[in-house]
Amino acid sequence: MFEILKRFFDFCDKENRNKFYAAIALGVVNSFFMALRIAAIAVMMQGVIRAATGTEAFSVKTIWLSFGIMVFSLTAGIITKKNVSMWQTEGGYRTCAQKRIQIAEHLRYVPMGYFNQNSLGQITSVTTNTMELMGDVATRAVMLVMQGLLDSALIIVMIFFFDWRIALVALAGFFAFQFVNVFMRLAVRGVSMEKSLADEAQIEKVLEHIQGIAEVKAYNLTGKRSKELNAVIDRAKKVCIKMEMRCIPIAAIQSIVSKFSGVAIAFASIWFYLNGSMPLEKCAVMLICSYMLFAALEAGGNYSALLRVIDIGVQKAQAILDIPLMDIDGKKQRPKGEASPSPLDISATDISFAYEKRKIIDGVSLQIPERSKIAIVGPSGGGKTTLCHLLSRFWDVDKGSVALGGVDVRDWSMDDLMANFSFVFQNVYLFHDTIANNIRFGNPSAPMKDVIAAAKKACCHDFISALPNGYDTVIGEGGASLSGGEKQRVSIARAIMKDAPIIILDEATANVDPENERDLMAAVSELTKEKTVIMIAHRLKTVRDADQIIVIDKGKIAEQGKHKTLAKSGGIYARFIDSRKQAVSWKI
């Protein structure tokens, strides 16, 4: 148990960890104040019993002394408990917030290969369920367990001052309770991981269901017919029930042990009184103590079952933070906005890259001069997008090198390197925010006049102005309230705002309808003025004017040259042209 608690505290940042330590230290003081109730009861019982037996007269001072101790105990206990609660709450929620930010910052520099369908559920589960667990349940469980131990320990210490024999009985009950509590943690050990995996699978499947809701409705996969989703949710439900069913019997045994320990204290106290080895007033005090001794311990013990779940959550969050980062600590090569001492040519020398043991790029070498226009074409799955990701260092090459401006991209600081690239992807992602802020994503501090200027260049000012709140219109997550062409143009406005010298277009016009194509092409033309352009495209009109066309097939450069030369070669590119012409001429 203490090992789990240590891992939890180590997981917290130093500032929040110190809050927890301060809360525990103040909790000790709080336990002492609460234990003073025994002293107040002892003073009163002693006065009453001595007066009843005629040993001495009952004094008003006894009442006031007992009352004073009780008031001081309760007042000081309330004040310290308030601060304990505040510190543990602040520590928990701040840890939750800071770890979410820390994970987000960490993921910025994780190789893109980590982000796939398998990791989506895990990342989402950790940043939502796990962090919520850390901020709320974990802090409460940890502090209740700790407080239960402290309260019981201090009461037992207090009993030692009254009668060491009763204290030993209480200590035996304390250890018996902890012995049963070990079985509580063992009972949930296996099912805790099962619960964590079930939560991940549930989130992953729900996300998949929501993201594919159009297909779900189109194929009538709602309700009972959505078997996979229902099965995952049902599994999560069964795991939660399974965990509860394992805990309930042991929690009942814990309760029995604590109650019998109280009975044992009461029985021993009466026995010692009857054989004359304990005064009546002490016996009465011990009888009262037998009721209050294990209340805090029992409350904390019931929460101890969650410690294993918390521990798994901590390990999962830490596992994300332990993912090896790309080497991002290169040198600052060129401050943004300053002229480059050398042209920002891009070169790749014999680069290779494999993903999950499958080679995607195999021995590719190429030169992309500054401000040139390069088109990359080839069969689907040939490695076009991966090549662009390697050139912009979304991934690191397994072999060979990529250089920008004559400097290996691994020698650039990541932020400086990314400042040189803007991306417009086929599948545009817009955030649940205003259109203005989505455009500002390329330059967060940009004034509104620059946002409007970028929107006009991207040919999206007119449709934005027609929206109910114009640039302050909040769009749905992923840009759900905009058409495909509108999202593309907002994405281009974002790239214009960033004003990077290198533009990568990954099939940016592939899914655009003819009505939007003219505006989109005008926006692309505005974006790419005086820039280095690397485009992946399947449309003939998009690639034919490129300075250089690179044909990628099975991870290798199959052909390379200008449109006219490649069109006469009879190779892959020539067949690509023929297929495009046939597609254009096809009619119903």
Side-chain angles (χ1 to χ4, degrees):
M1 179 174 69
F2 291 105
E3 188 177 334
I4 292 175
L5 293 174
K6 182 180 182 302
R7 274 197 292 269
F8 172 78
F9 290 130
D10 288 344
F11 177 74
C12 301
D13 296 331
K14 183 178 179 180
E15 180 184 353
N16 296 312
R17 184 163 57 245
N18 288 339
K19 282 188 179 294
F20 283 124
Y21 289 160
I24 291 171
L26 193 61
V28 174
V29 178
N30 176 261
S31 297
F32 172 76
F33 287 137
M34 301 312 289
L36 279 179
R37 289 176 296 176
I38 297 175
I41 294 169
V43 169
M44 180 61 73
M45 295 300 299
Q46 186 178 35
V48 170
I49 291 172
R50 287 184 179 181
T53 56
T55 306
E56 62 180 50
F58 187 77
S59 171
V60 176
K61 288 184 179 179
T62 301
I63 297 175
W64 283 111
L65 178 60
S66 176
F67 180 73
I69 295 173
M70 185 65 76
V71 169
F72 175 74
S73 169
L74 292 174
T75 303
I78 290 170
I79 293 171
T80 52
K81 182 65 176 177
K82 169 185 172 293
N83 286 292
V84 167
S85 299
M86 286 299 299
W87 288 346
Q88 75 181 48
T89 301
E90 287 179 9
Y93 284 115
R94 286 181 178 177
T95 294
C96 171
Q98 289 174 7
K99 286 299 175 181
R100 278 181 171 140
I101 294 170
Q102 192 176 342
I103 288 172
E105 286 296 312
H106 188 84
L107 292 175
R108 285 179 60 199
Y109 303 110
V110 169
M112 286 296 294
Y114 173 75
F115 300 97
N116 52 49
Q117 193 64 30
N118 294 328
S119 68
L120 181 61
Q122 181 187 5
I123 295 170
T124 308
S125 178
V126 168
T127 53
T128 53
N129 286 5
T130 301
M131 288 301 102
E132 191 66 26
L133 185 73
M134 295 298 105
D136 190 2
V137 180
T139 19
R140 182 169 175 77
V142 167
M143 296 309 295
L144 277 173
V145 170
M146 294 293 294
Q147 198 65 46
L149 292 172
L150 291 172
D151 284 354
S152 301
L154 279 171
I155 290 174
I156 291 172
V157 169
M158 186 75 75
I159 292 174
F160 264 105
F161 288 99
F162 286 87
D163 193 294
W164 63 270
R165 297 167 300 177
I166 299 300
L168 289 178
V169 174
L171 197 60
F174 178 85
F175 285 121
F177 185 93
Q178 293 304 319
F179 178 75
V180 175
N181 192 251
V182 169
F183 289 95
M184 172 80 82
R185 296 192 296 276
L186 289 175
V188 300
R189 174 175 290 178
V191 76
S192 297
M193 179 58 76
E194 192 177 344
K195 181 182 184 305
S196 180
L197 293 174
D199 287 342
E200 280 184 19
Q202 183 173 226
I203 289 176
E204 182 179 329
K205 189 58 67 176
V206 169
L207 282 173
E208 180 186 274
H209 192 80
I210 293 171
Q211 290 169 346
I213 194 66
E215 285 74 17
V216 169
K217 289 185 176 181
Y219 290 94
N220 195 26
L221 297 176
T222 56
K224 293 182 179 180
R225 298 194 64 182
S226 184
K227 294 181 180 178
E228 289 186 10
L229 178 61
N230 292 341
V232 167
I233 294 173
D234 189 56
R235 179 191 165 206
K237 176 195 74 176
K238 288 179 179 178
V239 169
C240 289
I241 294 172
K242 180 180 178 181
M243 188 171 185
E244 289 297 323
M245 293 305 294
R246 287 193 178 185
C247 292
I248 287 171
I250 301 175
I253 295 172
Q254 278 188 157
S255 181
I256 291 170
V257 168
S258 67
K259 298 297 188 293
F260 269 95
S261 296
V263 170
I265 291 172
F267 181 82
S269 299
I270 295 171
W271 175 264
F272 292 142
Y273 166 70
L274 292 175
N275 67 21
S277 62
M278 178 183 286
L280 178 59
E281 59 266 26
K282 282 189 178 181
C283 177
V285 171
M286 292 302 100
L287 287 174
I288 294 171
C289 286
S290 68
Y291 285 97
M292 60 188 292
L293 175 58
F294 293 109
L297 186 65
E298 191 172 343
N302 291 334
Y303 273 90
S304 66
L306 291 172
L307 291 181
R308 180 62 185 166
V309 178
I310 294 166
D311 191 39
I312 290 173
V314 168
Q315 291 178 37
K316 282 181 172 289
Q318 194 59 51
I320 292 180
L321 293 172
D322 289 340
I323 297 168
L325 298 177
M326 299 173 74
D327 182 11
I328 61 173
D329 296 324
K331 296 179 181 179
K332 194 173 183 67
Q333 302 294 338
R334 176 174 65 90
K336 186 177 179 182
E338 290 188 12
S340 174
S342 60
L344 284 177
D345 297 342
I346 301 173
S347 64
T349 307
D350 194 27
I351 62 172
S352 295
F353 176 78
Y355 178 63
E356 294 183 350
K357 298 181 180 181
R358 184 169 67 93
K359 186 161 279 191
I360 309 297
I361 299 296
D362 186 9
V364 169
S365 296
L366 55 86
Q367 296 290 326
I368 303 175
E370 185 178 34
R371 297 185 181 180
S372 62
K373 186 177 181 181
I374 307 300
I376 301 176
V377 299
S380 179
K384 303 183 296 296
T385 298
T386 301
L387 177 59
C388 288
H389 286 167
L390 293 173
L391 295 178
S392 55
R393 211 195 170 196
F394 273 28
W395 289 303
D396 274 332
V397 296
D398 296 333
K399 179 185 174 185
S401 64
V402 176
L404 175 64
V407 179
D408 193 303
V409 292
R410 289 167 291 198
D411 293 331
W412 287 73
S413 72
M414 182 60 75
D415 289 338
D416 284 347
L417 179 67
M418 286 296 104
N420 290 293
F421 290 90
S422 283
F423 304 87
V424 180
F425 298 109
Q426 177 182 356
N427 298 317
V428 176
Y429 190 89
L430 300 180
F431 296 90
H432 182 67
D433 203 342
T434 64
I435 290 183
N437 285 339
N438 269 280
I439 295 174
R440 277 196 188 97
F441 200 75
N443 184 1
S445 61
M448 193 63 201
K449 64 177 183 178
D450 291 348
V451 172
I452 295 173
K456 287 180 177 178
K457 289 179 180 179
C459 300
C460 54
H461 174 72
D462 290 342
F463 85 77
I464 294 174
S465 300
L467 293 172
N469 296 311
Y471 285 85
D472 292 326
T473 301
V474 176
I475 56 178
E477 184 179 350
S481 55
L482 300 180
S483 70
E486 289 170 343
K487 287 192 289 185
Q488 284 287 8
R489 280 179 275 162
V490 171
S491 176
I492 290 171
R494 177 192 291 172
I496 290 172
M497 181 67 71
K498 185 177 180 182
D499 194 27
I502 302 167
I503 310 296
I504 294 181
L505 305 171
D506 189 349
E507 301 191 44
T509 62
N511 297 328
V512 179
D513 54 79
E515 289 77 10
N516 279 315
E517 186 176 5
R518 179 178 57 83
D519 287 340
L520 188 59
M521 293 306 296
V524 170
S525 177
E526 188 65 37
L527 170 65
T528 56
K529 281 182 180 178
E530 302 297 317
K531 309 285 188 184
T532 302
V533 181
I534 304 170
M535 66 173 71
I536 300 173
H538 287 150
R539 297 195 178 194
L540 182 58
K541 63 174 72 175
T542 308
V543 303
R544 66 188 308 160
D545 296 326
D547 299 316
Q548 183 181 182
I549 297 170
I550 299 169
V551 182
I552 299 292
D553 184 29
K554 297 178 182 177
K556 296 178 179 291
I557 295 180
E559 298 173 346
Q560 187 173 357
K562 288 184 175 291
H563 169 73
K564 289 183 179 180
T565 304
L566 295 178
K568 296 175 182 179
S569 66
I572 295 175
Y573 185 75
R575 294 195 295 273
F576 163 77
I577 293 174
D578 291 340
S579 64
R580 296 303 99 183
K581 288 179 179 178
Q582 290 176 18
V584 170
S585 63
W586 187 83
K587 296 179 181 179
I588 296 180

